[in-house]
Amino acid sequence: MSTDESARAPQDFAGPRWLLPSALIHELSPDTHGAGRRPRRTARDWVVDFSCFLLSVVLGLAAATSLGDEPGLPHGFAVLDQTLGAVACAAVWLRRRWPVGLAAATVPVGLLSNTAGGAATVILFTLAVHRPFRYVAWIGGAQLALIPVFFWLRPDPDLPYAGVVAFTVLLTLTVIGWGMFVRSKRMLMLSLRERAHRAETEARLRAEQAQRLAREAIAREMHDVLAHRLTLLSVHAGALEFRPDAPREEIARAAGVIRESAHEALQDLREIIGVLRTGESDDAGGRPQPTLAALDALVAECREAGMKVTLDHRIANPAAVPASVGRTAYRIAQETLTNARKHAPGSEVTVRLAGAPGDGLTLTVTNPPPRSDVPPVPGSGQGLIGLTERATLAGGHLAHGPTPDGGFEVRCGLPWPRT
C-alpha cells in the first residue's frame, strides 16, 4: 500500500480484540481479513454463541415438555415440532453468517414448531444487530403478525389467549429494540472512530500544506535574493573576462564588487538557512527584511554594477507604506531589475513608483529592447510566475508583456489601506 493509501485507510484496531465482536473488529480493521473472507470468531463470540445456543436449547426443552399438555396434538406433529426445534437450535451457530436467511426461515418454522421459539428469538436479535432496519421491519413484522395465528391454532393450556399473545408480542418487540440499540452503539463507535481518523488526516494534510507553503516562500526568497547577487557577480566577472587589459583601478573595483557580491550572497544564504533551522517566519524578526526605503540603495547598487537605471520615486514618505507591501514592492523591483540585466544588458531601465494611502501602490519597470541579440536564458519566465504569485498573495495584481517598441514592461498594483 502506498503512503497516500495508508493515510486514507483507517488504522488497525490496537486494543484487545478478544473482548469485541468479530464483525466490529472487521469494520475497525477491514484489511485484517482478506477480501471476501468472513471474519473469524473472537473469544467473546464463542462465549456469546455458546450462551445463545444453550439458551435456545433450554427454552426448546421447556417447550418440548409442554407438548404433551396440548390437547389434540398428534404424535407425528409433536415429533416434527421437536425436530424443527433441534434444527433451529443448531442453526444458531450460523446466525452470524446468514442473519437474513435464517431469520426469514424461522417465520414459517415458528408457525409449525413451538420448541423453535427460543432459537427464533435469538436469530431475530442477531438480525437487528447486524442488518439495517428495513430487514428487521419485514421479518420482525411477519413474526409479530403470526403470533396471534400461532396461539389461535395452538392455544396455551395454562394462560389465557390475550395474555400470552400480549406477552409474546412484548417480548419480541423488546428483543428487536435491544438488538437495534446494540447496533446503534456499534455504529456510533464506528462513526466516532472515523471522525477521529478524518480529523487526524486533515491535521496531517494541513501540516504538510503549511510545510509546502513555507518551502515555497523560502524558495521565492532565495530566488529573489540570490539571483540579484549572483547576476551582479556574473556581470563584473564577464567584464574582467572580456577586458583583461582594463586599467588597474577598474579591475580592482570589479574584483571588489565580485567579492562583496559573493559575501552578500553567502550571508543571505546563511540567513535563509537559519530561518529553515529555527522555523521562524520572516516577520518574526529572525532576519532583517527590506522595505520600500531600501529601494534607493538597490538602484544605487545596480548603477555601481554598470546598469543604467532611472528611478521615478513619487512617494514622499516611504516609511508610511506598510512593511508587507513595501517588502513585496522591493522584491518585485529587485527581480525585474535582475531580469532586465539578464535579458536586455546595456539598456536603460526605468522604475516608476507612485501611490497614496487608499489609492494603492503602483510599481512600473520598463526597459527598451536590447541593443544586440541576447542568447536565450534557460528557465526564463519562472521568475515572472513567482512575482505574479507574490503580488496575488499580497492582495494585488501584476501584469507583464512587451511594449510597442519591442521592450518589456512589468506593472504591479498593491493595496495600501488608509491608516
Side-chain angles (χ1 to χ4, degrees):
M1 181 180 294
S2 64
T3 305
D4 295 338
E5 292 176 349
S6 61
R8 292 192 297 266
Q11 298 177 352
D12 290 342
F13 179 72
R17 296 173 177 266
W18 64 274
L19 290 176
L20 294 178
S22 58
L24 185 60
I25 293 180
H26 179 69
E27 294 292 337
L28 294 174
S29 303
D31 296 333
T32 303
H33 309 278
R37 296 182 56 186
R38 185 174 59 90
R40 299 179 58 183
R41 286 188 177 96
T42 62
R44 177 189 180 279
D45 289 342
W46 283 106
V47 173
V48 171
D49 289 349
F50 182 78
S51 301
C52 291
F53 173 74
L54 185 61
L55 176 63
S56 302
V57 171
V58 170
L59 293 177
L61 292 176
T65 57
S66 65
L67 291 179
D69 299 334
E70 294 187 24
L73 183 67
H75 176 72
F77 195 86
V79 173
L80 176 63
D81 188 314
Q82 296 179 40
T83 302
L84 292 176
V87 173
C89 291
V92 168
W93 290 99
L94 303 176
R95 61 193 175 89
R96 297 179 185 272
R97 180 178 296 185
W98 301 302
V100 177
L102 289 178
T106 57
V107 174
V109 170
L111 188 62
L112 299 174
S113 173
N114 191 17
T115 56
T121 303
V122 172
I123 293 174
L124 181 62
F125 173 79
T126 304
L127 177 67
V129 171
H130 292 274
R131 292 297 181 267
F133 176 73
R134 63 180 182 272
Y135 298 100
V136 183
W138 283 102
I139 299 176
Q143 291 192 7
L144 290 173
L146 292 177
I147 289 176
V149 178
F150 175 82
F151 287 105
W152 181 73
L153 296 174
R154 302 178 60 177
D156 191 286
D158 299 326
L159 297 175
Y161 174 77
V164 70
V165 170
F167 174 77
T168 308
V169 170
L170 181 62
L171 177 63
T172 304
L173 291 176
T174 302
V175 170
I176 293 176
W178 184 18
M180 293 177 62
F181 173 72
V182 173
R183 175 177 174 81
S184 65
K185 287 187 62 178
R186 293 185 180 182
M187 297 301 294
L188 177 61
M189 179 186 296
L190 294 175
S191 175
L192 292 177
R193 178 177 173 82
E194 179 65 24
R195 187 178 302 175
H197 175 71
R198 189 183 301 113
E200 293 176 359
T201 303
E202 292 176 354
R204 182 169 57 253
L205 292 177
R206 285 195 298 268
E208 293 176 356
Q209 183 180 12
Q211 292 177 354
R212 186 178 67 254
L213 293 176
R215 294 190 185 102
E216 292 176 356
I218 293 172
R220 287 195 300 268
E221 194 73 12
M222 293 180 66
H223 177 273
D224 294 342
V225 174
L226 296 182
H228 173 71
R229 301 293 183 189
L230 296 179
T231 303
L232 290 178
L233 190 150
S234 176
V235 168
H236 288 280
L240 291 179
E241 179 182 3
F242 289 104
R243 293 193 59 191
D245 56 345
R248 184 179 184 86
E249 293 78 8
E250 293 186 9
I251 294 178
R253 175 176 168 274
V257 173
I258 292 175
R259 180 184 59 81
E260 184 66 22
S261 297
H263 176 74
E264 292 291 339
L266 290 175
Q267 183 65 24
D268 291 334
L269 185 60
R270 291 192 189 99
E271 292 171 352
I272 294 174
I273 293 176
V275 174
L276 273 174
R277 289 176 176 174
T278 60
E280 297 178 354
S281 62
D282 292 345
D283 298 331
R287 64 187 291 252
Q289 291 294 310
T291 60
L292 196 61
L295 185 60
D296 293 333
L298 175 66
V299 172
E301 185 179 15
C302 293
R303 288 170 178 168
E304 290 180 0
M307 285 188 67
K308 299 177 181 179
V309 182
T310 301
L311 177 61
D312 186 5
H313 202 316
R314 301 183 183 181
I315 297 179
N317 186 13
V321 179
S324 60
V325 177
R327 180 167 61 251
T328 301
Y330 177 90
R331 292 304 188 196
I332 292 176
Q334 184 183 51
E335 174 65 14
T336 50
L337 289 173
T338 301
N339 289 341
R341 189 183 303 116
K342 292 188 299 183
H343 299 285
S347 300
E348 183 176 0
V349 184
T350 302
V351 180
R352 298 183 180 87
L353 192 65
D359 297 335
L361 182 68
T362 303
L363 173 67
T364 305
V365 181
T366 308
N367 64 268
R371 298 178 179 178
S372 59
D373 294 337
V374 179
V377 180
S380 299
Q382 299 300 320
L384 293 175
I385 296 176
L387 292 182
T388 304
E389 182 180 358
R390 181 185 288 272
T392 303
L393 291 176
H397 61 276
L398 185 140
H400 54 81
T403 59
D405 60 352
F408 199 83
E409 183 179 64
V410 176
R411 300 176 301 278
C412 175
L414 299 173
W416 185 356
R418 297 182 184 273
T419 56

